[in-house]
Amino acid sequence: MRRTFLIFSAAIFTFMAYAQDGTVLTVDDAVKRALENNVSVQRNEITLSALERAKSHSWNSASPTITFDGSAGIPLNDLTDEAARSKYDANFGISATVSVSLTANLYTKMQAAKLNYDIGKISFVDSLRAIELSVREAFFNLLYEKENIALQEKNSEISRSQYNSNLAKYNQGRLSELDVLSAEVSYQSTIPTVASARTTYENDLASFKQLLGIDLEEPIELDGTLEDKIMLDKISLEGVEIYSSTIKTLEKRIEAADNSVLDARFSAYAPSIRASLNWRDQYWYANYDGDPPASTDAAKSTSLSLSASIPLDGVLPWSARHDAIETAKESKKDYELQLKNARTTLQMNINSYLRSIETSQASIKAKQANVTLAQRSYNMTLDAYNRGVKDFLALQNANSSLLSAQVSLKNEILKLSSTILNLENTIGVPFGSLSKKTE
């Protein structure tokens, strides 16, 4: 009773200390923090913002150009000579010019900016999904490592208890020294295994914190187990709308290639128009001597000019502009080939993931049975060893088989979880939607 109370008190103390100092993270919490704090997300937001600004201002080549000038002139000859003063006039003038240039390429420029922004949005969403995929995979991998540590520690504790038991029997003359040494070797070999597992976990946990954009010194605890991720129901994609960012990007690039062909044709054949309005106001002051001018003359002028230019070298098959059109057409054909191949690759990947999921599900069922059998075998071997029917080597083998079966099962669950995540990422559905268990 006293021992139970001490254990319970220690558990409460540990929980209270953890609640004060640690942060419990579910996989969804981890994803949220990563999307809020990850440096890559912030950099991609800057890139997308620049593309949006370029799209909004893509018409700016048609914006009028306005210039304003002012001028003043004062004679620099000997102003003490009255005759000389009468020969030169002081003057002051102002002028303004407004000009506009219009080309057919304005349309293609605006369209190109829009398509670049659309591609940027696809890329931005894709980067968010890539980060979420990394977070979820890292989260499940840490769960596996954490549970592997627990298994290795349990195995070490069993080996230590067995060593102590054999040592006691040896001191009582009931066991040979060889069995004691074998038990000690078995126990000592578990110590570096546990230490290595802990080191791997701590290193991966630090990388996980960096991925989430949180302080490396902040204590966190992962909420969940690998057992929660066992998905043995058959996964069907019937009725699921498949979205591939790769295919959507290539479709947009084909649109952009079409626009590039049109832009090259406009550059080769379409006229450009320029309109310019000029206004000028000029004043002359005669007999300047520091006093009000004796006479003032003024001249004002306003002019409007229109011009148009039509390129002709586009009709020449060896001209640079003609070559630009052909290059744009070839670029479009290349993207069309890439799109065709991407659709085939997408279907291949989907089929591959579905087959891998079915294989893992079957493997998990078999390994669950293996764990049950290995546990029964160990229990029976331990009982036989304690009765002197089995030797220590048989007990060691039974314990190793149990540990191997348990680790193998958890590794297969991790593999299944990762495969489902990658399938969800490939077909563009929300993460976790395919792993929901049916009631």
Side-chain angles (χ1 to χ4, degrees):
M1 183 69 178
R2 176 181 172 82
R3 182 180 179 185
T4 302
F5 175 78
L6 290 175
I7 293 174
F8 179 77
S9 299
I12 292 296
F13 176 80
T14 301
F15 174 79
M16 292 179 63
Y18 172 72
Q20 292 175 353
D21 301 328
T23 301
V24 180
L25 290 178
T26 64
V27 65
D28 291 329
D29 294 333
V31 169
K32 182 179 178 181
R33 295 195 66 166
L35 295 181
E36 290 174 350
N37 304 324
N38 189 272
V39 173
S40 295
V41 173
Q42 296 170 1
R43 292 180 62 191
N44 288 330
E45 286 176 343
I46 294 174
T47 301
L48 184 62
S49 177
L51 290 172
E52 184 177 16
R53 184 172 60 253
K55 184 195 76 167
S56 300
H57 299 164
S58 59
W59 55 270
N60 56 16
S61 64
S63 180
T65 300
I66 303 175
T67 60
F68 180 84
D69 295 314
S71 62
I74 299 174
L76 297 179
N77 61 298
D78 185 1
L79 297 181
T80 61
D81 185 350
E82 182 176 353
R85 289 201 306 269
S86 64
K87 296 178 181 179
Y88 296 91
D89 300 323
N91 65 82
F92 174 75
I94 56 176
S95 64
T97 302
V98 179
S99 61
V100 178
S101 296
L102 296 175
T103 66
N105 297 90
L106 174 62
Y107 167 78
T108 53
K109 180 182 177 182
M110 295 175 63
Q111 188 68 6
K114 177 184 178 300
L115 290 169
N116 285 337
Y117 177 64
D118 291 342
I119 293 173
K121 285 196 298 183
I122 295 172
S123 178
F124 179 70
V125 173
D126 199 38
S127 68
L128 296 184
R129 286 184 62 84
I131 290 174
E132 182 172 354
L133 175 64
S134 297
V135 170
R136 289 181 180 273
E137 287 187 319
F139 188 95
F140 297 155
N141 186 65
L142 286 171
L143 288 181
Y144 165 77
E145 292 178 354
K146 185 178 178 181
E147 293 178 17
N148 180 58
I149 291 173
L151 289 175
Q152 299 297 341
E153 287 177 340
K154 181 179 179 181
N155 179 61
S156 182
E157 179 61 23
I158 291 174
S159 298
R160 187 187 66 82
S161 298
Q162 195 60 59
Y163 165 65
N164 290 336
S165 175
N166 285 6
L167 182 60
K169 292 178 181 179
Y170 169 74
N171 291 333
Q172 296 170 5
R174 297 166 50 199
L175 203 64
S176 67
E177 184 179 4
L178 179 60
D179 283 343
V180 176
L181 291 175
S182 296
E184 184 177 10
V185 170
S186 179
Y187 166 58
Q188 293 294 336
S189 66
T190 64
I191 295 176
T193 301
V194 172
S196 177
R198 287 174 178 167
T199 299
T200 300
Y201 177 77
E202 291 298 328
N203 290 339
D204 290 346
L205 184 62
S207 298
F208 184 67
K209 290 179 180 179
Q210 182 184 27
L211 180 61
L212 268 57
I214 62 179
D215 193 279
L216 296 180
E217 302 302 321
E218 180 180 346
I220 63 173
E221 183 66 23
L222 307 183
D223 182 16
T225 65
L226 279 180
E227 298 297 325
D228 300 333
K229 307 305 172 186
I230 298 180
M231 172 60 184
L232 299 181
D233 296 334
K234 181 178 178 60
I235 292 180
S236 173
L237 300 183
E238 184 178 354
V240 175
E241 183 177 354
I242 296 176
Y243 174 90
S244 169
S245 60
T246 300
I247 289 177
K248 288 297 181 182
T249 298
L250 286 172
E251 289 174 345
K252 286 294 180 182
R253 292 201 180 280
I254 290 175
E255 288 185 48
D258 271 330
N259 187 64
S260 295
V261 172
L262 183 60
D263 183 73
R265 285 173 174 165
F266 281 161
S267 296
Y269 308 123
S272 60
I273 300 173
R274 178 180 174 83
S276 178
L277 176 66
N278 182 272
W279 170 84
R280 183 173 180 81
D281 202 350
Q282 186 79 31
Y283 299 89
W284 289 271
Y285 298 94
N287 299 324
Y288 178 87
D289 58 4
D291 296 323
S295 64
T296 301
D297 294 321
K300 296 182 180 180
S301 64
T302 303
S303 63
L304 174 65
S305 63
L306 296 173
S307 63
S309 62
I310 302 175
L312 297 176
D313 58 334
V315 300
L316 304 176
W318 57 82
S319 67
R321 293 185 178 183
H322 186 275
D323 286 346
I325 296 174
E326 296 304 313
T327 300
K329 290 179 180 179
E330 290 167 353
S331 179
K332 178 186 176 182
K333 291 179 181 179
D334 181 63
Y335 282 127
E336 288 173 341
L337 290 173
Q338 290 184 48
L339 178 60
K340 181 180 179 181
N341 186 63
R343 285 172 173 158
T344 302
T345 301
L346 173 64
Q347 193 57 53
M348 287 176 56
N349 289 337
I350 291 174
N351 294 338
S352 176
Y353 284 134
L354 288 174
R355 286 191 292 266
S356 296
I357 288 171
E358 291 179 357
T359 301
S360 287
Q361 288 174 331
S363 182
I364 286 174
K365 293 176 182 179
K367 290 181 178 182
Q368 286 175 328
N370 287 342
V371 170
T372 301
L373 292 173
Q375 184 67 60
R376 288 183 58 192
S377 176
Y378 173 76
N379 293 339
M380 294 173 64
T381 304
L382 177 61
D383 180 65
Y385 175 76
N386 290 334
R387 289 185 289 106
V389 179
K390 292 285 188 178
D391 58 15
F392 184 69
L393 179 60
L395 182 61
Q396 281 183 312
N397 291 336
N399 185 45
S400 297
S401 296
L402 174 59
L403 177 63
S404 178
Q406 291 170 328
V407 172
S408 180
L409 173 60
K410 292 188 178 299
N411 186 65
E412 195 64 48
I413 297 173
L414 176 64
K415 180 180 177 182
L416 173 62
S417 301
S418 178
T419 305
I420 293 177
L421 284 174
N422 280 280
L423 175 59
E424 291 170 337
N425 186 60
T426 299
I427 63 178
V429 298
F431 289 105
S433 58
L434 296 183
S435 57
K436 291 180 180 178
K437 300 177 182 179
T438 58
E439 300 296 335

